[in-house]
C-alpha cells in the first residue's frame, strides 16, 4: 500500500526513480510570465512616460505657435 503517510519500499523506489524529475534546478526551459504586479508597474511607467512626452510636444507646439504669432503680427 502506498499513500501520503506510507513510505515506499526500496523496490518501489528503484522502480519509479527514473520517472521522478531531478531535484536540482536547471537553467533555461520555458519562460514564465512576470507576476501581475510587475506588469501593472510596467504599464504605469509606460503611461507616465507617454504622458510626459505628450506634454513636451504640446509645450513645443505652444512655443512654436507663440513665436510664429509674434512674427505674423509684426509683418502686418
Amino acid at each position: 500500500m502506498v499513500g501520503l503517510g506510507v513510505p515506499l519500499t526500496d523496490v518501489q523506489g528503484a522502480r519509479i526513480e527514473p520517472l521522478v524529475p531531478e531535484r536540482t534546478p536547471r537553467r533555461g526551459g520555458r519562460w514564465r510570465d512576470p507576476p501581475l504586479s510587475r506588469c501593472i508597474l510596467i504599464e504605469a511607467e509606460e503611461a507616465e512616460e507617454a504622458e510626459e512626452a505628450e506634454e513636451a510636444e504640446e509645450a513645443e507646439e505652444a512655443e512654436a505657435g507663440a513665436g510664429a504669432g509674434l512674427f505674423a503680427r509684426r509683418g502686418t
Side-chain angles (χ1 to χ4, degrees), residues 1 4 6 8 11 14 19-20 22 32 46 66 71 74:
M1 179 194 266
L4 295 177
V6 180
L8 295 174
V11 174
L19 305 174
V20 178
E22 295 180 23
R32 294 187 328 164
E46 289 174 351
F71 292 121
R74 288 184 189 170

Side-chain angles (χ1 to χ4, degrees), residues 16-62:
I16 68 166
E17 184 178 2
L19 305 174
V20 178
E22 295 180 23
R23 289 187 172 188
T24 57
R26 292 183 296 169
R27 296 190 72 162
R30 289 189 66 169
W31 286 67
R32 294 187 328 164
D33 290 333
L36 182 60
S37 60
R38 178 70 181 140
C39 292
I40 292 170
L41 289 175
I42 291 171
E43 289 177 2
E45 289 172 359
E46 289 174 351
E48 186 176 315
E49 290 172 0
E51 185 177 318
E52 289 174 358
E54 187 176 311
E55 289 174 359
E57 286 178 15
E58 290 175 359
E60 288 177 9
E61 289 175 2

